[in-house]
Amino acid sequence: MEEVDLGGLKIRQITSFQKIWTVSGGGPDNAGASFFEPSPIPDGYSMLGSYAQPNNKQLFGWVLVASDKSGDILKQPSNYTLIWHSDDNKAFFWLPTPPDGYKPLGLLVTATPDIPSLDRIRCVRSDFTADAEVDNWIWNHGMNVYGLRPKTRGTNAQPLSAGTFVIQSDTVPLSCLINKNTESTGRLNQLQMMSMFQTYAPYIYFHSDEEYLPSTVDWFFSNGALLYKKGESNPVRVEPDGANLPQGGRGDGTYWLDLPTDGRAKDAVKKGDLNIAKPYIHFKPIFGGTFTDIQVWVFYPFNGHATAKVGFIKRLSMGRVGEHVGDWEHVTLRVSNFNGILYGVYLAQHSGGKWVDASTLEYESGNKFAVYASRNGHAANDRGGLYLQGGNTVGIRNDWEKSGKVMDTGARFLVVSAEAEAEMVVEPPWLNFNSKWGPTKDYDTASEVRKLKKWLPGKLKKALMNLVKVLDQVFGMDGPAGPKTKASWNGDES
């Protein structure tokens, strides 16, 4: 769709720009930044603010323009305030002064010190605006330049970004938009969502030495997964579709899942089955229905032990530290509902994660891209290699590698949930099991680490013990809860 109606205010997403100023140095990778205005602007539409991005990546962004036939939602500013100019006097940053009852959504960047024409930009009536906060860092030069995002975000949140930027101050002087259209005209139906996912569906690459591969949830249940209840000694086998799992609840420790008790069966289930594994897809509209987040969830029956690099010892097994039954990991694709373009991907990594721009991904087979799952821990990354958590000399290894062990997420998948305008999706019973997918661990991290100390020289012993806090933070204390219990299910990724 080219245009979205926010309830009387129509917006379009512009991805073509005219450069106003570029600077080398400062910002991410000390590469500088560039500042633009949207061009061309469609007839009847007006600019809401300029666009900026760091120079460490190719030009790949967007900014909104708006149209108001009523003539009352958009107004020209009454004046401008010059808030900063470049040392070479080739760029001037202006904050619009809004009329009473209106708010500015962006700054205007010009190449001359002359006060801009009042017709260059529009302010928006306050009831169509929402509070904004700083987002990604763009540049610095005695001050910091950031992108903007709504303070309130998530599936049911109606605020949306205009794609503009701000020069940081004690308070953010700019606002975001809000979608007041109850018909949610920007949202997509399930067929459109499925088409978008299959266009970008990533390949997930596993390390060549990975022992603990994904499976389907049904396979996990059918191969002997057990449901335990607190205070009862006899667990019950989980039915293949999870129909006998408790639904809802608070996840208070009353119930949990575990591996089969037979040793041979337990070892087999731990390893998963990549040949039948498939991801579970959750579609959700965000930013007032102007974007769709496609969450790609992968289930692993078992999360392997942590491995450390300790000085000259490149790979030191950490005993049972990091091991737990059940591991849910995911990546999120953020796609524009205006044009179907993939703009960002969120890569979940243990208890956190990171956003990466779609322009920086490794693509193969057209628009599909590569995701790397770390050995044993399954944290997602956009590149292969080694990253140490905890320090450069002593740290927990995250090993990513492209190997022949790979999941094509678009080849087979199951949509388990879709929000808003999508046709009704029947959610599987296991999705509403809010308890743990593994038991609480029965070992002490510090004790496990102490077992390894005797093999190390003095300086490295202390460094190894300092990892205990990192280990518990990264790997948690017990099996995880399911996808629907995560804050990211209905909220924004962070």
Side-chain angles (χ1 to χ4, degrees):
M1 63 195 72
E2 290 186 351
E3 172 183 278
V4 173
D5 187 345
L6 302 183
L9 179 66
K10 294 183 177 181
I11 55 173
R12 289 193 178 189
Q13 194 177 69
I14 305 299
T15 58
S16 57
F17 301 97
Q18 176 184 342
K19 185 183 293 184
I20 305 299
W21 182 61
T22 189
V23 58
S24 59
D29 297 332
N30 199 32
S34 295
F35 300 83
F36 307 85
E37 64 180 39
S39 179
I41 296 176
D43 290 342
Y45 281 78
S46 300
M47 184 165 65
L48 300 175
S50 299
Y51 172 74
Q53 73 167 54
N55 289 337
N56 67 337
K57 60 182 180 180
Q58 67 185 59
L59 179 59
F60 184 75
W62 55 270
V63 70
L64 297 182
V65 295
S67 175
D68 165 31
K69 291 186 178 180
S70 72
D72 188 53
I73 303 175
L74 297 177
K75 292 289 186 184
Q76 295 180 6
S78 59
N79 205 343
Y80 294 96
T81 300
L82 179 64
I83 59 174
W84 190 80
H85 65 85
S86 61
D87 295 338
D88 59 8
N89 288 318
K90 291 184 178 179
F92 299 82
F93 291 69
W94 305 89
L95 174 65
T97 304
D100 290 342
Y102 291 77
K103 294 183 178 179
L105 271 64
L107 304 178
L108 184 64
V109 182
T110 66
T112 71
D114 302 325
I115 297 177
S117 166
L118 297 179
D119 192 44
R120 290 282 304 278
I121 198 169
R122 294 293 187 273
C123 300
V124 180
R125 201 172 69 202
S126 296
D127 60 312
F128 277 85
T129 67
D131 290 339
E133 66 182 19
V134 297
D135 189 10
N136 54 299
W137 180 48
I138 296 173
W139 187 60
N140 70 310
H141 183 73
M143 50 78 181
N144 283 295
V145 176
Y146 292 94
L148 282 173
R149 66 183 183 185
K151 276 190 176 180
T152 304
R153 302 182 303 281
T155 302
N156 298 314
Q158 296 307 308
L160 58 138
S161 170
T164 57
F165 68 91
V166 68
I167 293 177
Q168 189 186 27
S169 59
D170 291 337
T171 58
V172 175
L174 302 173
S175 297
C176 288
L177 289 168
I178 192 167
N179 189 351
K180 298 178 65 177
N181 190 347
T182 57
E183 296 182 0
S184 304
T185 56
R187 294 176 178 174
L188 306 182
N189 60 43
Q190 188 180 340
L191 183 62
Q192 291 170 316
M193 291 177 182
M194 294 273 283
S195 176
M196 286 200 303
F197 172 63
Q198 290 181 304
T199 297
Y200 300 112
Y203 296 99
I204 301 179
Y205 287 95
F206 305 97
H207 197 278
S208 58
D209 294 327
E210 179 62 70
E211 295 181 58
Y212 307 111
L213 291 160
S215 74
T216 63
V217 170
D218 294 359
W219 181 91
F220 177 59
F221 293 161
S222 298
N223 281 274
L226 298 171
L227 172 66
Y228 285 80
K229 184 177 181 180
K230 188 175 181 179
E232 296 185 3
S233 58
N234 295 318
V236 298
R237 286 195 60 160
V238 183
E239 294 180 8
D241 62 354
N244 62 330
L245 291 175
Q247 300 291 286
R250 297 177 296 171
D252 57 2
T254 300
Y255 295 96
W256 65 91
L257 300 180
D258 204 350
L259 300 167
T261 54
D262 176 77
R264 184 174 296 180
K266 178 185 294 187
D267 289 342
V269 171
K270 279 183 177 181
K271 294 179 179 179
D273 189 343
L274 183 57
N275 292 323
I276 55 91
K278 62 185 175 185
Y280 299 99
I281 310 302
H282 173 217
F283 296 112
K284 63 174 185 176
I286 59 160
F287 298 138
T290 56
F291 280 78
T292 295
D293 273 6
I294 307 173
Q295 291 188 320
V296 183
W297 291 90
V298 178
F299 174 71
Y300 302 80
F302 195 74
N303 190 92
H305 62 78
T307 303
K309 179 181 181 296
V310 185
F312 59 87
I313 304 174
K314 293 184 178 180
R315 192 178 294 277
L316 179 67
S317 173
M318 301 299 290
R320 293 180 296 166
V321 173
E323 289 186 351
H324 59 77
V325 176
D327 188 22
W328 279 103
E329 299 291 348
H330 76 284
V331 298
T332 298
L333 287 61
R334 180 158 288 177
V335 184
S336 168
N337 290 351
F338 288 95
N339 48 31
I341 292 176
L342 175 69
Y343 277 103
V345 171
Y346 182 80
L347 302 162
Q349 298 176 338
H350 306 303
S351 58
K354 66 177 183 178
W355 279 103
V356 297
D357 285 345
S359 62
T360 67
L361 296 169
E362 293 180 359
Y363 287 91
E364 46 190 277
S365 302
N367 290 317
K368 298 177 182 292
F369 60 94
V371 172
Y372 297 80
S374 65
R375 183 187 177 200
N376 285 2
H378 312 134
N381 201 34
D382 56 327
R383 293 289 187 274
L386 168 66
Y387 171 71
L388 290 179
Q389 288 177 271
N392 295 324
T393 303
V394 177
I396 303 304
R397 295 182 65 102
N398 283 270
D399 288 282
W400 291 288
E401 178 185 89
K402 182 176 286 189
S403 76
K405 298 177 181 178
V406 58
M407 174 192 285
D408 178 358
T409 62
R412 55 178 180 268
F413 58 90
L414 179 65
V415 178
V416 294
S417 188
E419 315 286 347
E421 294 300 300
E423 288 85 353
M424 181 64 67
V425 173
V426 178
E427 297 182 347
W430 56 259
L431 188 61
N432 293 295
F433 174 65
N434 289 346
S435 298
K436 297 289 187 179
W437 285 67
T440 298
K441 74 178 185 180
D442 58 0
Y443 61 86
D444 176 66
T445 300
S447 175
E448 290 288 311
V449 173
R450 280 195 295 269
K451 295 176 184 178
L452 307 171
K453 280 176 46 178
K454 60 183 178 181
W455 303 108
L456 298 174
K459 290 183 179 179
L460 293 182
K461 288 181 180 179
K462 182 178 180 181
L464 182 63
M465 291 306 296
N466 288 337
L467 280 180
V468 173
K469 183 181 293 186
V470 175
L471 283 163
D472 278 337
Q473 266 187 340
V474 170
F475 293 103
M477 299 295 288
D478 50 14
K484 210 170 184 181
T485 66
K486 311 292 187 184
S488 61
W489 184 266
N490 289 317
D492 194 17
E493 305 280 7
S494 59

